[in-house]
């Protein structure tokens, strides 16, 4: 009986210790919400990311049921296309302290993705920060907010920059903000390590766990579109599907002029 009681006490002691450690870990993670930095990112396999090279964003979006596409406000500032894993930043809409920190932390190829709440009163990114990103060989910058020094940003060809707008007004550098937590950019949730693909049409966000499937389907979509374009060019495309679709939807066809 005494042995059983002793075992129970040991078991309870271990459970209390484990719970305490878990609580401390949770407390450390949750403390100072809104002003914290996570230093690690689960980045996808570079070969998987590279697979999306030269695949149109429109085709990728189609293979995700037209979802995960950033709002049309997020536009290309220069000619470069975008491809890489997300390194996320949440800033106050008029402050870029955490954006500076993120650029100093990110690894080559990372895309700095900044949630500035879509507000355009103050520029979050400018020439100096882009030059730093280039020097660090980052993969690009996406800002749901404003940028400035747009002439330089548009002419440089080293990394892509996407933003919601342009303003000469500079930012403050006080914080708060977060790095490598889930954010919202262009109406889409972006998590650290998500794959971003951008071209002239816009930016799409791909979750790593579904990326292989999306890649395979996007490649099939590309091949199918190539055949359709060939048929359109040589005049052999079959358009009977249009009337079939209209008939299935019970369209009314009136063989007369509108009166």
């Amino acid at each position: 009986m005494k042995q059983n009681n002793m075992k129970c006490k040991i078991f309870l002691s271990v459970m209390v210790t484990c719970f305490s450690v878990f609580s401390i870990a949770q407390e450390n993670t949750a403390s100072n919400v809104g002003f914290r930095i996570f230093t690690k990112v689960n980045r996808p396999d570079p070969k998987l990311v590279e697979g999306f090279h030269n695949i149109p964003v429109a085709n990728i979006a189609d293979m995700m049921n037209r979802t995960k596409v950033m709002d049309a406000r997020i536009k290309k500032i220069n000619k470069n296309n975008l491809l890489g894993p997300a390194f996320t930043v949440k800033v106050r809409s008029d402050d870029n302290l955490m954006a500076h920190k993120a650029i100093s932390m990110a690894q080559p190829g990372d895309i700095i993705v900044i949630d500035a709440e879509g507000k355009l009163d103050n520029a979050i990114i400018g020439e100096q920060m882009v030059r730093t990103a280039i020097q660090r060989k980052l993969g690009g910058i996406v800002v749901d907010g404003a940028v400035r020094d747009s002439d330089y940003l548009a002419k440089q060809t080293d990394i892509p920059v996407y933003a919601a707008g342009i303003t000469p007004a500079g930012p403050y550098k006080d914080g708060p903000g977060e790095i490598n937590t889930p954010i919202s950019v262009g109406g889409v949730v972006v998590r650290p390590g998500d794959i971003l693909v951008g071209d002239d049409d816009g930016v799409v966000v791909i979750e790593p766990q579904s990326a292989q499937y999306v890649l395979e389907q996007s490649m099939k979509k590309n091949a199918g579109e190539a055949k359709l374009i060939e048929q359109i060019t040589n005049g052999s495309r079959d358009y009977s599907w249009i009337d079939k679709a209209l008939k299935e939807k019970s369209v009314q066809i009136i063989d007369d002029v509108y009166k």
Side-chain angles (χ1 to χ4, degrees):
M1 188 71 175
K2 289 183 178 180
Q3 287 183 341
N4 289 339
N5 288 339
M6 181 61 68
K7 288 180 180 178
C8 287
K9 288 181 180 179
I10 293 172
F11 175 76
L12 289 173
S13 177
V14 170
M15 290 297 292
V16 169
T17 301
C18 290
F19 180 77
S20 299
V21 171
F22 176 78
S23 298
I24 292 171
Q26 289 291 94
E27 182 180 347
N28 289 341
T29 301
S31 63
N32 215 18
V33 171
F35 207 6
R36 56 187 179 171
I37 296 171
F38 289 85
T39 61
K40 296 181 180 179
V41 175
N42 289 323
R43 293 176 176 82
D45 185 337
K47 291 182 179 179
L48 177 60
V49 176
E50 187 58 27
F52 288 96
H53 183 67
N54 286 335
I55 297 182
V57 165
N59 288 353
I60 298 171
D62 283 354
M63 294 302 97
M64 294 193 292
N65 292 297
R66 282 74 172 172
T67 64
K68 305 292 185 179
V69 178
M70 290 186 183
D71 189 272
R73 296 179 300 102
I74 311 297
K75 290 182 169 60
K76 240 183 181 186
I77 301 298
N78 58 7
K79 295 181 179 180
N80 299 36
N81 286 343
L82 185 80
L83 179 62
F87 195 95
T88 63
V89 191
K90 170 67 179 174
V91 300
R92 203 177 74 220
S93 62
D94 59 354
D95 190 287
N96 72 352
L97 176 62
M98 295 298 260
H100 277 280
K101 179 60 177 175
I103 290 173
S104 74
M105 291 173 57
Q107 294 183 8
D110 285 348
I111 308 293
I112 302 295
V113 193
I114 305 172
D115 176 0
E117 302 175 357
K119 297 181 181 178
L120 306 178
D121 296 332
N122 300 79
I124 302 301
I125 292 290
E127 178 178 351
Q128 294 180 30
M129 296 176 77
V130 170
R131 286 185 180 275
T132 302
I134 292 169
Q135 191 274 332
R136 292 186 55 78
K137 294 180 170 54
L138 303 189
I141 299 173
V142 179
V143 189
D144 196 350
V147 299
R148 66 177 181 177
D149 305 321
S150 59
D151 183 61
Y152 166 76
L153 268 56
K155 289 179 180 177
Q156 64 84 21
T157 58
D158 293 285
I159 63 171
V161 178
Y162 287 72
I166 297 169
T167 180
Y172 300 96
K173 293 174 175 58
D174 302 311
E178 294 194 337
I179 294 177
N180 287 326
T181 60
I183 59 174
S184 176
V185 174
V188 180
V189 174
V190 183
R191 297 175 177 83
D194 282 352
I195 300 171
L196 270 64
V197 188
D199 59 19
D200 290 342
D201 286 343
V203 180
V204 67
V205 181
I206 308 164
E207 297 174 354
Q209 57 267 36
S210 61
Q212 185 62 48
Y213 171 80
V214 173
L215 175 58
E216 291 170 359
Q217 297 305 308
S218 299
M219 292 174 71
K220 291 179 182 178
K221 172 82 170 177
N222 262 15
E225 286 207 346
K227 290 182 180 179
L228 287 176
I229 291 171
E230 182 181 352
Q231 291 170 3
I232 292 170
T233 302
N234 62 32
S236 65
R237 185 175 184 186
D238 180 10
Y239 292 97
S240 62
W241 66 270
I242 301 174
D243 289 334
K244 182 181 178 182
L246 290 172
K247 183 178 181 180
E248 289 175 352
K249 297 178 182 299
S250 302
V251 67
Q252 183 182 14
I253 298 176
I254 304 167
D255 188 20
D256 199 354
V257 297
Y258 178 80
K259 298 175 183 177

